[in-house]
Short mmCIF file of all heavy atoms in Angstrom, two decimals:
data_model
loop_
_atom_site.label_atom_id
_atom_site.label_comp_id
_atom_site.label_asym_id
_atom_site.label_seq_id
_atom_site.Cartn_x
_atom_site.Cartn_y
_atom_site.Cartn_z
N GLY M 93 2.28 10.15 1.80
CA GLY M 93 3.28 11.13 1.40
C GLY M 93 3.96 10.83 0.10
O GLY M 93 4.58 11.69 -0.52
N ARG M 126 11.12 28.63 -2.26
CA ARG M 126 10.05 27.66 -2.03
C ARG M 126 9.16 27.53 -3.26
O ARG M 126 8.65 26.43 -3.53
CB ARG M 126 9.22 28.08 -0.81
CG ARG M 126 10.00 28.05 0.50
CD ARG M 126 9.07 28.13 1.69
NE ARG M 126 9.81 28.45 2.91
CZ ARG M 126 9.35 28.22 4.14
NH1 ARG M 126 8.15 27.66 4.29
NH2 ARG M 126 10.06 28.54 5.19
N PRO M 152 -6.50 32.71 0.22
CA PRO M 152 -5.86 33.65 -0.71
C PRO M 152 -6.59 34.99 -0.73
O PRO M 152 -7.32 35.31 -1.66
CB PRO M 152 -5.95 32.92 -2.06
CG PRO M 152 -7.15 32.05 -1.93
CD PRO M 152 -7.20 31.63 -0.50
N VAL M 167 17.81 57.97 -3.06
CA VAL M 167 18.48 58.95 -3.92
C VAL M 167 19.96 59.03 -3.58
O VAL M 167 20.34 59.13 -2.41
CB VAL M 167 17.83 60.35 -3.75
CG1 VAL M 167 18.53 61.36 -4.66
CG2 VAL M 167 16.33 60.29 -4.06
N THR M 178 17.12 43.20 6.11
CA THR M 178 15.69 43.01 6.30
C THR M 178 14.96 44.36 6.22
O THR M 178 15.29 45.27 6.96
CB THR M 178 15.40 42.35 7.66
OG1 THR M 178 16.09 41.10 7.73
CG2 THR M 178 13.91 42.12 7.84
N ARG M 180 10.92 46.20 4.62
CA ARG M 180 9.58 45.92 4.11
C ARG M 180 9.31 46.70 2.83
O ARG M 180 9.63 47.89 2.72
CB ARG M 180 8.52 46.29 5.14
CG ARG M 180 7.09 46.07 4.66
CD ARG M 180 6.07 46.51 5.69
NE ARG M 180 6.14 45.71 6.91
CZ ARG M 180 5.25 45.80 7.89
NH1 ARG M 180 4.25 46.67 7.81
NH2 ARG M 180 5.37 45.04 8.96
N ASP M 225 17.90 34.79 -7.64
CA ASP M 225 17.69 34.08 -8.89
C ASP M 225 16.38 33.31 -8.79
O ASP M 225 16.04 32.77 -7.74
CB ASP M 225 18.84 33.11 -9.15
CG ASP M 225 20.11 33.82 -9.58
OD1 ASP M 225 20.04 34.67 -10.49
OD2 ASP M 225 21.18 33.54 -9.00
N HIS M 228 10.86 36.52 -11.88
CA HIS M 228 10.63 37.04 -13.23
C HIS M 228 11.02 38.51 -13.24
O HIS M 228 10.59 39.28 -12.37
CB HIS M 228 9.16 36.91 -13.62
CG HIS M 228 8.73 35.51 -13.93
ND1 HIS M 228 9.39 34.72 -14.86
CD2 HIS M 228 7.70 34.76 -13.46
CE1 HIS M 228 8.79 33.54 -14.93
NE2 HIS M 228 7.77 33.54 -14.09
N GLU M 246 16.50 33.57 -14.45
CA GLU M 246 15.07 33.75 -14.24
C GLU M 246 14.33 32.42 -14.14
O GLU M 246 14.84 31.36 -14.51
CB GLU M 246 14.49 34.60 -15.38
CG GLU M 246 15.01 36.03 -15.39
CD GLU M 246 14.14 36.95 -16.22
OE1 GLU M 246 12.90 36.88 -16.11
OE2 GLU M 246 14.71 37.75 -16.99
N ARG M 290 17.13 18.34 1.93
CA ARG M 290 18.47 17.77 1.73
C ARG M 290 18.47 16.28 2.02
O ARG M 290 19.13 15.50 1.34
CB ARG M 290 19.47 18.51 2.62
CG ARG M 290 20.88 17.98 2.52
CD ARG M 290 21.93 18.94 3.05
NE ARG M 290 21.53 19.53 4.30
CZ ARG M 290 21.41 20.84 4.49
NH1 ARG M 290 21.63 21.67 3.50
NH2 ARG M 290 21.07 21.32 5.67
#
Side-chain angles (χ1 to χ4, degrees):
R126 295 194 195 200
V167 180
T178 302
R180 178 183 295 188
D225 286 311
H228 286 306
E246 294 197 45
R290 178 162 44 238

